[in-house]
Amino acid sequence: MKSLIYTILLALLISCTDGTKSIELENERLIESFEQAYQSGQWHQALSYIDTLRARKVNLNILPIEAECYAGLGQHEKAISLLDNEIKLDTMKNIYYVHSALGNVYTHKSDFNKAIEHYKKSIQIRPTYARPYINIGDIYNHLNEKDSCVYYYLSAIRLFAENNFFNEVVDFSQRVISIDSLNIEGYKFLQYGFQSLDNHKDAVSVGLILDDIITSNDLQGRDEKHLNWLFTGISAYKCGDIQLSHELIYSSIQQETVRRDYGWLAYCHLSAIQNKLGNNDLAKQYADIATKIDSMKTAEYIKDLLGQ
């Protein structure tokens, strides 16, 4: 699979050639070669490809990436000068990306205060861009400032979750947990990531660990414990552990918040469990309760749940 950088570069080319097919194919080949050189840290080679593409009158508009190549060669001041000048000219629509690139250059230079300054400017301009949060988190991790590191990683994870980047949710949730082994939000996101990737076995394992953490922190009476039981129980059902699923989901509905906000979902699964156990009358009773709570959601969900 080609990387995001390759995709961006190719998109930039769409309106930058005269439309001749052979020219477009050659430009695409050069861009792919550039991307490979850039990703592998072959900075001289990457800059050579940029020069070649420009000689072919392709307006790449990738100054931030070019500056990072110079930074990779240790030419930090040249990289900073290129990017600072771009900010002064304000000719790029994606100026947030220029600030992020400056943050990368200053990080490479080990000037972490300036790096964080530019990453925060990038976030201020475009708060939905996840990369600066990760980079700030990496800096704080390097500086052994764990609380700040976790804060910025979690900020990035929220964005990944909102935009359905579930592999990234899992990756960075695991990083959070490796730094703070009792971080409840990290475990919640990790479980959510596994569930979204249909990895319900690992989702159950995470849920059981989370249950122990919630209990040890004396949070038994709070919503976290019962909601965790519900979603862990759903994953247990999906990976075939019917007994555990019933135990967790039935326990979850003893809490008013779960009944109010997720009652239809819980009773749908209790109905499906009883259906699998052959208890048809009880299955119908649970299905009727779910229908009374939310008939539209229940009708659609339980049909998929039972595979009808």
Side-chain angles (χ1 to χ4, degrees):
M1 182 180 293
K2 295 182 176 66
S3 74
L4 178 60
I5 291 173
Y6 175 81
T7 304
I8 292 170
L9 291 173
L10 189 57
L12 286 167
L13 275 176
I14 292 175
S15 61
C16 295
T17 70
D18 64 4
T20 304
K21 187 67 174 177
S22 61
I23 293 176
E24 290 177 357
L25 289 173
E26 178 61 12
N27 287 340
E28 182 176 340
R29 185 193 68 78
L30 286 167
I31 284 177
E32 187 168 5
S33 296
F34 161 73
E35 191 271 342
Q36 290 171 354
Y38 174 81
Q39 291 289 1
S40 61
Q42 299 176 45
W43 310 118
H44 283 296
Q45 190 65 43
L47 289 167
S48 177
Y49 282 122
I50 291 175
D51 290 339
T52 300
L53 286 161
R54 283 182 176 147
R56 292 171 64 84
K57 302 187 185 303
V58 177
N59 181 19
L60 288 173
N61 197 25
I62 56 165
L63 189 64
I65 297 174
E66 183 179 7
E68 288 189 49
C69 291
Y70 283 116
L73 292 170
Q75 299 180 34
H76 301 112
E77 297 311 316
K78 182 169 184 177
I80 291 167
S81 177
L82 284 171
L83 294 170
D84 279 342
N85 188 56
E86 194 66 30
I87 290 172
K88 289 174 185 175
L89 293 173
D90 198 20
T91 56
M92 284 189 68
K93 292 181 180 179
N94 298 331
I95 203 70
Y96 71 92
Y97 189 64
V98 179
H99 280 292
S100 184
L102 266 168
N104 295 342
V105 173
Y106 279 113
T107 298
H108 195 277
K109 193 181 176 185
S110 298
D111 188 342
F112 299 124
N113 288 333
K114 289 291 288 186
I116 290 172
E117 176 187 328
H118 282 285
Y119 288 140
K120 286 184 175 180
K121 285 181 179 177
S122 179
I123 291 169
Q124 185 178 13
I125 295 167
R126 188 169 179 179
T128 56
Y129 182 40
R131 178 52 56 181
Y133 295 97
I134 293 168
N135 292 341
I136 294 175
D138 286 343
I139 289 173
Y140 282 127
N141 193 26
H142 174 75
L143 297 174
N144 204 35
E145 296 184 27
K146 303 303 184 183
D147 289 345
S148 295
C149 170
V150 166
Y151 171 83
Y152 280 98
Y153 279 166
L154 286 173
S155 297
I157 292 167
R158 291 185 197 100
L159 292 173
F160 288 138
E162 289 169 6
N163 291 281
N164 300 329
F165 292 115
F166 300 122
N167 286 313
E168 287 78 4
V169 169
V170 169
D171 181 15
F172 284 95
S173 296
Q174 289 173 328
R175 293 195 198 188
V176 166
I177 292 165
S178 71
I179 295 166
D180 179 3
S181 62
L182 300 178
N183 190 283
I184 289 175
E185 194 170 4
Y187 281 103
K188 284 183 180 179
F189 275 122
L190 181 58
Q191 184 185 55
Y192 175 68
F194 281 139
Q195 288 170 330
S196 300
L197 294 169
D198 290 325
N199 183 354
H200 293 287
K201 184 177 179 180
D202 283 341
V204 170
S205 297
V206 171
L208 296 177
I209 294 171
L210 182 55
D211 184 59
D212 288 341
I213 293 171
I214 292 170
T215 300
S216 65
N217 281 275
D218 197 27
L219 301 174
Q220 300 96 303
R222 293 180 56 180
D223 297 346
E224 281 93 339
K225 190 169 188 69
H226 294 82
L227 287 171
N228 180 53
W229 282 344
L230 172 61
F231 292 114
T232 303
I234 289 173
S235 281
Y237 175 85
K238 290 186 177 180
C239 63
D241 193 335
I242 301 303
Q243 182 177 348
L244 178 62
S245 177
H246 180 269
E247 178 186 338
L248 291 172
I249 295 175
Y250 187 80
S251 297
S252 76
I253 59 172
Q254 307 311 308
Q255 213 268 354
E256 191 275 333
T257 301
V258 175
R259 292 197 303 273
R260 183 191 67 219
D261 296 339
Y262 298 99
W264 70 273
L265 181 62
Y267 283 108
C268 278
H269 280 275
L270 288 174
S271 176
I273 289 167
Q274 295 305 321
N275 184 68
K276 281 185 177 291
L277 295 173
N279 300 326
N280 296 329
D281 289 343
L282 190 52
K284 185 178 185 305
Q285 288 179 32
Y286 284 137
D288 288 343
I289 295 172
T291 300
K292 286 180 182 178
I293 296 171
D294 194 316
S295 59
M296 187 174 297
K297 287 181 180 178
T298 296
E300 192 173 323
Y301 189 82
I302 206 165
K303 185 176 180 180
D304 291 338
L305 197 60
L306 297 176
Q308 297 174 345

